[in-house]
Amino acid sequence: MFLLFFLALIFIYIYFGLFVLIQIIIWLSVFFVSNFLIGVNPEHRELYLIRILSILVICFVFYYNSKQIINTSYLLPLTIKNVSYLSDFKTPIVFDNNRNEDKIYLYRVDNISNFLNKLDLDDNYILTMIFYPDLINYSINIPQLVLSEPILINRNSSAAIIEKYINERINVMIDFYYLDDSILEETPFGPGVIFHYWKFYY
C-alpha cells in the first residue's frame, strides 16, 4: 500500500510538477489527520467537514492543473526548411488571446533574426503579415495588403526562409494588384511589414 502511494506521488511530481505535489501532500495530510481525529472523536462534525473539504480541494487541484497541461505544447519544427502554414496543421489548436505586434522594415539588416530572438523559447506562434509603405503613419483604418495566409513559427524558425518568403509575396502582391515599383522605394518610414502574432497550443 505504501509503495502504491509512493508511486502515485512520483507520478504527480513527474506529470504536474513540484508545486502541485506540495499542494497534494498538504491536503492529503489534512485528510489523514482528520480521519485519525474522527476515529478518536467521531462526534465532532467539524472534522467531517474538514475531511470533505480536503477531498474537494484535492479534486480541484487535479482538475485545474490538468486543464493547464492541456494548454501546453512542445516546440515544433516550424518554418525551418519551408514555410509552415496554419492551414496545413491538422491538429486542433487553442489560440492565446494576447495579440503581439512588431514592425519589420524591409531594408534593415537582421530584422527577422531580431524578431525571432524575442519569441519565447518554448512556444509556437501564428504569424500574419501585412504590407505597409509607411510604418510610422500606418493605421488599421486604411486598406491593408495581407501578404499571405497565416504561417506558423517559433524561435527555431529560419530567418532566411521567412525573409525570402516575404520578398516573394511582395513581388506577387505588386504583380497581382498592378502596383508601381515605387511602393518599394526606401524612405525613413518604410516600406515594411507589420507582424501580428499569437501563441498557440495543441
Side-chain angles (χ1 to χ4, degrees):
M1 185 66 180
F2 176 78
L3 179 60
L4 290 176
F5 179 73
F6 181 71
L7 290 175
L9 292 180
I10 292 177
F11 172 79
I12 293 171
Y13 172 71
I14 294 173
Y15 194 70
F16 293 102
L18 180 61
F19 182 67
V20 174
L21 176 63
I22 292 172
Q23 296 178 68
I24 296 299
I25 290 175
I26 291 173
W27 285 102
L28 280 176
S29 300
V30 172
F31 173 77
F32 288 129
V33 169
S34 63
N35 267 352
F36 173 77
L37 293 177
I38 287 172
V40 174
N41 194 347
E43 296 182 358
H44 276 212
R45 293 185 178 181
E46 295 86 354
L47 296 175
Y48 291 95
L49 291 176
I50 292 173
R51 182 170 66 178
I52 294 172
L53 177 63
S54 63
I55 294 173
L56 291 176
V57 171
I58 290 171
C59 291
F60 175 77
V61 169
F62 277 123
Y63 171 77
Y64 177 80
N65 286 281
S66 64
K67 296 287 286 185
Q68 293 296 104
I69 286 177
I70 289 173
N71 289 337
T72 60
S73 59
Y74 296 101
L75 209 58
L76 295 168
L78 301 174
T79 311
I80 295 177
K81 294 184 178 180
N82 299 292
V83 173
S84 304
Y85 296 99
L86 174 61
S87 59
D88 293 333
F89 194 75
K90 303 306 180 184
T91 304
I93 63 174
V94 177
F95 290 82
D96 192 313
N97 290 327
N98 296 319
R99 189 190 76 173
N100 302 286
E101 181 178 290
D102 216 328
K103 298 177 181 179
I104 304 296
Y105 289 84
L106 291 186
Y107 302 113
R108 292 188 183 175
V109 179
D110 296 331
N111 252 332
I112 308 296
S113 297
N114 293 336
F115 163 73
L116 292 175
N117 287 333
K118 291 192 294 186
L119 302 179
D120 291 341
L121 280 171
D122 300 322
D123 288 307
N124 303 298
Y125 294 82
I126 297 169
L127 172 68
T128 62
M129 300 172 290
I130 304 171
F131 176 84
Y132 285 99
D134 185 343
L135 291 181
I136 302 299
N137 302 306
Y138 81 95
S139 168
I140 61 173
N141 294 321
I142 65 175
Q144 300 181 0
L145 293 169
V146 179
L147 293 180
S148 165
E149 64 176 290
I151 69 172
L152 304 178
I153 62 167
N154 53 40
R155 194 160 178 175
N156 293 335
S157 297
S158 168
I161 291 293
I162 296 174
E163 184 174 1
K164 179 183 177 183
Y165 181 67
I166 289 173
N167 291 331
E168 289 174 351
R169 297 304 300 175
I170 288 175
N171 289 331
V172 171
M173 174 193 73
I174 290 175
D175 292 340
F176 187 82
Y177 291 108
Y178 303 103
L179 301 175
D180 194 281
D181 288 342
S182 61
I183 198 174
L184 297 180
E185 290 181 1
E186 185 175 5
T187 71
F189 312 109
V193 177
I194 299 293
F195 280 0
H196 291 152
Y197 54 104
W198 302 258
K199 292 180 182 180
F200 75 91
Y201 311 97
Y202 62 93

